[in-house]
Amino acid sequence: MSVPSSRVLSDGQVWLADYRRRIEELRGRAERAQAEIAALSATAASPDGAVRATVDSTGTLTGLAFGPAADGLGRGLLAELVVATTASAAAEVSRRATAALGPLLEQR
């Protein structure tokens, strides 16, 4: 027994409408994730408070401050603290970016 062509057409239209709706939903989630990631920044501090570093969503250093504990450090140690603290802030941005992608990757 064959299915009437009008039913096949109707079923195809329903499928296509649902597919378009799912694509629009995915596009919306992608745009929200992109905006959230672009706005990310994170600040980290060294354990002794000598260094505070802030990075943006790309991991670029956007802020650097030295606390009183920095005064007694040599240049080499201070430089190492800047690098390590900046890396900690960048890791936090990366963690948040991964979390922001979660809704985009959810299966529906």
Side-chain angles (χ1 to χ4, degrees), residues 58-80:
T58 66
T60 299
L61 183 65
T62 60
L64 182 63
F66 299 107
D71 293 341
L73 300 176
R75 289 181 184 173
L77 184 54
L78 185 57
E80 288 176 15

Side-chain angles (χ1 to χ4, degrees), residues 74-95:
R75 289 181 184 173
L77 184 54
L78 185 57
E80 288 176 15
L81 276 176
V82 168
V83 171
T85 305
T86 301
S88 292
E92 177 61 16
V93 164
S94 179
R95 186 194 66 73

